[in-house]
Amino acid sequence: SFLQGRLEDARQAYEAALAAGPADAGMLVNLARVLSRLGQVAEAKKIFQQAADISPRVVTLYPDVAAAVGIEQ
């Protein structure tokens, strides 16, 4: 579907941006959100945990993503 294609484009863009520079918690959260919507929940959880390691506040700032990947506040 169109949405699936757009999510895949977003995933590739976030991965390229993260590969080009230092890890950014916000970008990691957005990548986790995209991966979750693509059904790649285990990978999304790993990425979200990386964001939380950089900035623990992401768990409370993005409760929707935390819940989607199975991380409790």
Side-chain angles (χ1 to χ4, degrees), residues 26-68:
M27 267 195 268
L28 288 166
V29 169
N30 288 333
L31 176 56
R33 179 181 282 123
V34 168
L35 290 169
S36 174
R37 289 182 181 164
L38 286 168
Q40 299 174 17
V41 178
E43 182 67 14
K45 184 175 184 175
K46 186 175 92 174
I47 296 295
F48 190 83
Q49 189 59 58
Q50 290 175 14
D53 290 345
I54 293 169
S55 177
R57 293 181 49 207
V58 300
V59 177
T60 54
L61 291 174
Y62 302 98
D64 59 322
V65 182

Side-chain angles (χ1 to χ4, degrees), residues 8-24 27-28 31:
E8 188 59 35
D9 290 345
R11 181 191 64 79
Q12 291 175 8
Y14 283 121
E15 287 176 346
L18 287 162
D24 174 86
M27 267 195 268
L28 288 166
L31 176 56

